Amino acid sequence: MTMKKKVLSAAVVAAMGVGSAHAVNISQTGTGEGMIIPYYTVRDGNDSLFSIVNTTDDFKVVKVRFHEAMNSREVLDFNLYMSPYDVWTGAVKDDGNGGAKLTTNDLSCTVPAIPAGGEPFRDWAYTGNAAQFPNADTATAEFLTRDRTKEGYLTVMEM
């Protein structure tokens, strides 16, 4: 009797055309609504360079977020407004003050604006030094410094 139920269930599922469901689809063309740039670093004299491309004839707004590597805490975020077929470029560099910063010579609109000298990454999300991020990491003091901003990853999501 149990075997008949299993066969019947399998037949019903097959007849309904039920397959596996996926929350994320990987584009075969390398384009889509989101992107993860898996690593940036400014350690050992390195700069990390990257570009974001609007491959369509539509205007786009994307949210760009930088995260530090130790605990994925946010260190910088902004909105990027792109015209059709626009290319935006930026670089993560050592800021000379113990951390990293974002620099760009691109004229595309960002909110907030990225200043000419670059925008330093923030440590608020893991040190507890801002009202919107009141909970510091439980890491020891040596890991609650701006040094954590020197490596991480970034996410880009179409809004």
Side-chain angles (χ1 to χ4, degrees):
M1 180 85 173
T2 310
M3 182 59 113
K4 288 183 181 178
K5 285 183 181 177
K6 288 182 181 177
V7 171
L8 179 60
S9 296
V12 170
V13 169
M16 293 174 52
V18 176
S20 60
H22 300 284
V24 176
N25 294 313
I26 304 299
S27 169
Q28 298 302 312
T29 62
T31 62
E33 290 97 21
M35 174 173 51
I36 298 172
I37 299 175
Y39 189 66
Y40 73 81
T41 185
V42 299
R43 298 199 185 282
D44 301 322
N46 290 304
D47 292 341
S48 293
L49 314 173
F50 55 92
S51 60
I52 299 170
V53 181
N54 178 2
T55 61
T56 71
D57 59 359
D58 296 321
F59 289 89
K60 301 275 183 175
V61 181
V62 296
K63 171 64 84 177
V64 180
R65 284 193 173 109
F66 289 83
H67 305 267
E68 52 83 27
M70 182 179 197
N71 226 359
S72 294
R73 297 293 181 109
E74 186 178 297
V75 293
L76 185 69
D77 79 286
F78 58 92
N79 294 340
L80 170 61
Y81 295 81
M82 302 184 79
S83 58
Y85 304 106
D86 194 4
V87 177
W88 185 84
T89 59
V92 179
K93 299 181 174 202
D94 192 300
D95 70 0
N97 291 316
K101 68 178 178 179
L102 172 66
T103 63
T104 184
N105 291 324
D106 200 290
L107 299 178
S108 296
C109 179
T110 63
V111 176
I114 307 298
E119 184 66 32
F121 287 177
R122 298 167 179 90
D123 60 4
W124 305 337
Y126 57 86
T127 61
N129 291 332
Q132 67 267 38
F133 299 109
N135 300 317
D137 277 0
T138 56
T140 59
E142 70 180 296
F143 294 111
L144 295 178
T145 66
R146 294 197 65 250
D147 183 73
R148 272 174 63 173
T149 68
K150 288 186 172 186
E151 61 184 317
Y153 67 96
L154 65 132
T155 58
V156 181
M157 298 298 295
E158 182 178 354
M159 295 173 48

